[in-house]
Amino acid sequence: MPEPAKISVLLKEGRRFKPLPEFSRRAHVNSRAALERLRRQAARDPEGFWAAQARSLEWIKPWRKTLDWRPPRARWFLGGRLNVSANCLDRHLAGPLRQKAALIWEGEPGEVRTFTYQQLHGEVCRFANVLKSLGVRRGDRVAIYMPMIPEAAVAMLACARIGAPHSVVFAGFSAEALRDRINDAAAKLVVTADGGWRRGNVVRLKDAVDAAVAQAPTIEHVVVVKRAGCEVAWQPGRDVWWQEAMAVASAACPASPLDSEHPLFILYTSGSTGKPKGVLHTQAGYLLQARLTMEWVFDLKPEDLFWCTADVGWVTGHSYVVYGPLAAGATILMYEGAPLHPGPDRFWSMIERHKVTIFYTAPTAIRAFMRLGPEPARRHDLSCLRLLGTVGEPINPEAWLWYHKVIGNGRCPIVDTWWQTETGAIMIAPVPGATPTKPGSATLPLPGIEADVVDRDGRPVPAGTGGFLVVKRPWPSMLRGIYGDPSRYAAQYFSQVSSPGSCARGERRTPYYFTGDGARRDEDGYFWMLGRIDDVLNVAGHRLSTMEIESALVSHPSVAEAAVVGRPDEVLGQAVTAFVTPRVGVQACENLKDDLRQHVARAIGAIAKPADIRFTEALPKTRSGKIMRRLLRELAAGGSVRGDVTTLEDLSVLARLQSDEE
Ligand code: PRX
């Protein structure tokens, strides 16, 4: 971990955009004063504030105690009972939302399906009954490995209905990655599809599931949606067609009354070791913030059509494709395929045809569109849009301004939302009717979120100085643990930085939540994210661990040692660069590079394939044997090594790597 003082601060961006009066007039939070009021209430009495907000959920049994905080363990709304799927569906059926579209879906080949709240409720109840009939009980884990089709949302909500925590695994991950995640959670059942459409091709998912399940002894059944129509292998007794099971399932399934702290889902994400972490979220606190941010940050109105382009395999797809918008009674748009298929204007054509009003995507997508120029967007009438959002990585001011001008036609506020798998919901973001924005800054923490930028001793750093981004108090949608690994949870998130004070003087030091991100605040207190300070890469908004890719590389028979770093990339944000030492006698050649790329894709997934592989006889190491990643990062970025090299054991290694560069 670098010293905060060494976190470089390069960005300087002076422009500022005030909320437009016509937007503020209609907004849920319509002025700076109103937002400040909320912030003050939350600061004065955080528990009272969250308790008041939590009344907006539908409870089966009210809670007794708002918060039990025994660091690192937090529990919220103790003693309460509710059901997340009932909050997303049943509660809307009594009024006018019953016939409102809950989900509009477009497949990559172009077909459109629409589900009203009533219809979605029926599907979810039916699938909950299918799960029960296949032996899934409260507490059992269900893995979901699916394309972006409505059935993915139905499966998630059906799990929530019966209290079976789901573990959605991004369908771009390999069979091996799926197997490891199934085994870590000891899942009982997998829901998948024969295949899904991507760039005009069928991605065969059932094959991957078959390979994974062959080494996953806890799996009893595989439920398969017929989506792509491709041939699949079939294991009678184990495998079940979704459509056949649904045809005979009842549409009546009471929502299970679940404790506020009952697990809702596990979602694997990369940390700074080779083993992905199963981030655990529970019911009430998670749902509360997912729903509330729909109002605060997206300013959701009954007539909005909300499109979050994330895949359900990532946390954004959990909180802002499924749970948040449905709990808020929104109409969501869901799209199966690739952004540039069949042409560069697919997204813009969808926005125009469906009349999307709120569009939420990743900076990497915006940069890819920017490269294509404004013409594909100009072919379409995007005047239906009223709010734009970004998430997943820092957005460079240039991309922000392009998004604002070309997509938003200068009329739409942009909400740059900072959050993480672990935080469950948006934490730092503009409230669009109230917060002036600055391109490149996620602006300020939401009410009730006590984020700050501090040094190693927990002291806030002065304006303009880089430091560690921390959250000082627990918040309702925070992760509750790492599945099956409480000590890693404590070590990773709550043992790095504490409130300042001296234990010797008897001052109590409370641990802060450590985000793993560097940040700085400017003179207005605005937050500017500086990226990860641990060994986590952010490639196209997806989190990858350098160690995970390294262990995939060294599992190849030709590799003796490998080190992986990120280098800046104009579109992806970061690109994976691997320095590889082949085993003695192995010919370092282009074929081996291709082979290693395929090997990483098999072990993790195509997203982790190194963009560059550089062979080296040895890696630069300290005298104690630690790989000096900082040097490799500087080399990967194409520059020469300028930093301190005095701890390097063998300078000639560096000299050779540098001469390769020239
Ligand atoms: O480094 C931050 C970056 O993405 C990380 C979280 O990744 P993940 O858990 O996969 O969740 C992504 C979607 C919520 C953070 O630690 N990040 C996310 N949003 C932003 C961001 N960096 C800068 N600005 C953002 N708006």
Side-chain angles (χ1 to χ4, degrees):
M1 211 163 59
E3 281 294 330
K6 292 192 183 150
I7 297 174
S8 58
V9 177
L10 299 171
L11 259 171
K12 268 258 174 277
E13 173 55 50
R15 273 159 291 195
R16 197 184 242 272
F17 292 80
K18 286 206 184 111
L20 297 173
E22 56 274 28
F23 190 97
S24 299
R25 212 171 298 126
R26 293 199 58 227
H28 286 285
V29 183
N30 57 11
S31 65
R32 256 176 125 164
L35 179 59
E36 283 315 314
R37 247 192 324 274
L38 282 173
R39 283 212 177 93
R40 275 198 306 274
Q41 280 169 12
R44 212 179 307 125
D45 174 15
E47 287 177 39
F49 174 79
W50 286 119
Q53 303 300 334
R55 291 194 191 101
S56 66
L57 298 180
E58 193 173 75
W59 293 84
I60 298 169
K61 186 172 162 236
W63 67 95
R64 270 183 291 105
K65 188 170 187 232
T66 304
L67 170 66
D68 181 38
W69 173 227
R70 292 165 209 221
R73 184 162 187 231
R75 290 184 302 160
W76 285 87
F77 310 114
L78 282 83
R81 281 180 180 266
L82 81 175
N83 185 283
V84 168
S85 100
N87 268 276
C88 291
L89 301 167
D90 308 43
R91 78 177 296 187
H92 305 316
L93 300 186
L97 264 57
R98 184 190 186 92
Q99 299 305 342
K100 177 179 175 174
L103 192 167
I104 301 173
W105 171 81
E106 187 166 304
E108 194 185 75
E111 68 273 56
V112 173
R113 289 163 72 192
T114 301
F115 297 78
T116 62
Y117 270 96
Q118 168 94 60
Q119 288 166 332
L120 191 61
H121 175 262
E123 294 293 296
V124 168
C125 288
R126 249 190 286 275
F127 194 63
N129 282 326
V130 170
L131 289 173
K132 286 201 259 183
S133 73
L134 294 173
V136 177
R137 302 281 170 260
R138 182 180 299 188
D140 288 343
R141 276 81 56 216
V142 172
I144 297 178
Y145 184 73
M146 293 177 87
M148 281 292 282
I149 54 177
E151 288 80 358
V154 170
M156 291 163 76
L157 289 159
C159 288
R161 197 159 189 89
I162 62 171
H166 54 69
S167 160
V168 183
V169 179
F170 174 56
F173 278 127
S174 67
E176 286 176 36
L178 172 64
R179 174 201 64 198
D180 293 346
R181 285 158 177 75
I182 290 175
N183 287 335
D184 188 77
K188 199 168 186 182
L189 183 141
V190 193
V191 189
T192 188
D194 51 358
W197 289 95
R198 188 99 197 152
R199 286 188 207 95
N201 298 312
V202 170
V203 180
R204 299 175 58 88
L205 299 181
K206 173 68 163 55
D207 291 356
V209 171
D210 287 337
V213 171
Q215 293 170 27
T218 53
I219 293 294
E220 293 174 11
H221 290 286
V222 178
V223 181
V224 189
V225 178
K226 192 171 271 184
R227 158 69 188 133
C230 52
E231 283 288 315
V232 291
W234 202 253
Q235 187 169 314
R238 185 196 73 180
D239 298 352
V240 177
W241 283 113
W242 170 289
Q243 281 87 347
E244 286 177 12
M246 290 289 270
V248 295
S250 154
C253 176
S256 183
L258 298 170
D259 190 277
S260 299
E261 285 295 332
H262 184 78
L264 175 63
F265 65 82
I266 301 166
L267 183 58
Y268 286 86
T269 189
S270 297
S272 45
T273 73
K275 189 172 178 282
K277 309 179 272 201
V279 169
L280 178 72
H281 281 286
T282 57
Q283 312 275 317
Y286 170 79
L287 185 67
L288 171 61
Q289 264 180 265
R291 182 176 190 276
L292 203 56
T293 45
M294 287 304 301
E295 212 173 84
W296 284 351
V297 181
F298 296 113
D299 190 47
L300 186 80
K301 297 283 165 24
E303 61 279 11
D304 276 318
L305 177 55
F306 182 78
W307 186 16
C308 163
T309 65
D311 192 285
V312 289
W314 310 109
V315 74
T316 312
H318 285 58
S319 304
Y320 299 106
V321 174
V322 181
Y323 292 116
L326 294 178
T331 303
I332 55 176
L333 179 66
M334 189 175 182
Y335 169 55
E336 178 185 30
L340 305 177
H341 186 87
D345 63 337
R346 178 66 183 254
F347 272 17
W348 321 126
S349 141
M350 285 180 65
I351 290 174
E352 180 181 27
R353 279 184 287 112
H354 295 287
K355 303 264 175 291
V356 172
T357 58
I358 306 174
F359 179 63
Y360 188 34
T361 197
T364 189
I366 299 166
R367 289 191 295 262
F369 294 131
M370 226 173 120
R371 269 196 155 180
L372 300 167
E375 190 277 328
R378 297 245 159 93
R379 268 184 244 161
H380 298 276
D381 176 6
L382 304 181
S383 60
C384 48
L385 287 170
R386 67 178 199 91
L387 180 68
L388 302 172
T390 79
V391 60
E393 51 185 311
I395 180 163
N396 44 316
E398 196 194 354
W400 194 105
L401 290 163
W402 188 89
Y403 198 30
H404 188 253
K405 184 162 157 244
V406 177
I407 306 305
N409 199 16
R411 296 175 300 105
C412 304
I414 294 185
V415 288
D416 173 356
T417 63
W418 179 92
W419 60 295
Q420 308 178 297
T421 307
E422 292 87 342
T423 69
I426 297 169
M427 303 285 279
I428 302 178
V431 171
T435 318
T437 52
K438 302 183 189 183
S441 167
T443 74
L444 296 162
L446 294 175
I449 304 300
E450 252 188 72
D452 205 349
V453 181
V454 300
D455 63 18
R456 198 177 285 283
D457 299 320
R459 289 193 181 78
V461 297
T465 310
F468 302 124
L469 177 63
V470 296
V471 187
K472 296 177 166 178
R473 284 186 55 85
W475 64 100
S477 65
M478 66 191 270
L479 79 164
R480 299 299 195 267
I482 294 178
Y483 191 77
D485 201 345
S487 54
R488 188 170 175 200
Y489 166 73
Q492 179 82 48
Y493 301 112
F494 289 100
S495 60
Q496 321 249 15
V497 184
S498 303
S499 57
S502 150
C503 297
R505 286 202 301 271
E507 288 158 336
R508 229 177 97 222
R509 302 191 64 186
T510 33
Y512 290 159
Y513 169 79
F514 184 76
T515 63
D517 278 6
R520 74 171 167 96
R521 300 184 75 171
D522 65 16
E523 57 292 351
D524 298 322
Y526 277 38
F527 286 67
W528 297 77
M529 304 306 165
L530 302 171
R532 302 287 309 189
I533 48 183
D534 52 13
D535 291 328
V536 172
L537 303 180
N538 193 330
V539 178
H542 300 320
R543 252 164 88 167
L544 295 169
S545 132
T546 53
M547 299 257 296
E548 214 176 330
I549 306 173
E550 283 165 13
S551 52
L553 286 166
V554 293
S555 72
H556 189 281
S558 302
V559 175
E561 203 172 27
V564 167
V565 294
R567 67 157 166 78
D569 182 274
E570 220 175 276
V571 175
L572 304 173
Q574 280 189 305
V576 177
T577 301
F579 291 85
V580 171
T581 308
R583 280 181 196 270
V584 179
V586 170
Q587 179 70 24
C589 58
E590 285 305 311
N591 282 350
L592 180 57
K593 284 188 185 173
D594 290 342
D595 205 28
L596 291 177
R597 283 199 186 94
Q598 290 314 320
H599 186 74
V600 172
R602 263 195 308 277
I604 304 173
I607 45 168
K609 271 194 213 175
D612 323 303
I613 295 181
R614 290 173 59 178
F615 292 117
T616 169
E617 268 170 51
L619 293 167
K621 290 190 183 160
T622 60
R623 285 179 193 95
S624 60
K626 274 180 84 174
I627 296 172
M628 292 187 71
R629 285 165 202 283
R630 177 179 56 79
L631 304 188
L632 294 176
R633 270 194 292 270
E634 288 176 16
L635 284 171
S640 55
V641 172
R642 279 181 306 242
D644 180 15
V645 291
T646 48
T647 50
L648 189 66
E649 191 202 27
D650 178 1
L651 266 172
S652 68
V653 172
L654 183 62
R656 259 173 282 142
L657 273 166
Q658 270 178 324
S659 65
D660 286 355
E661 177 78 10
E662 281 145 18

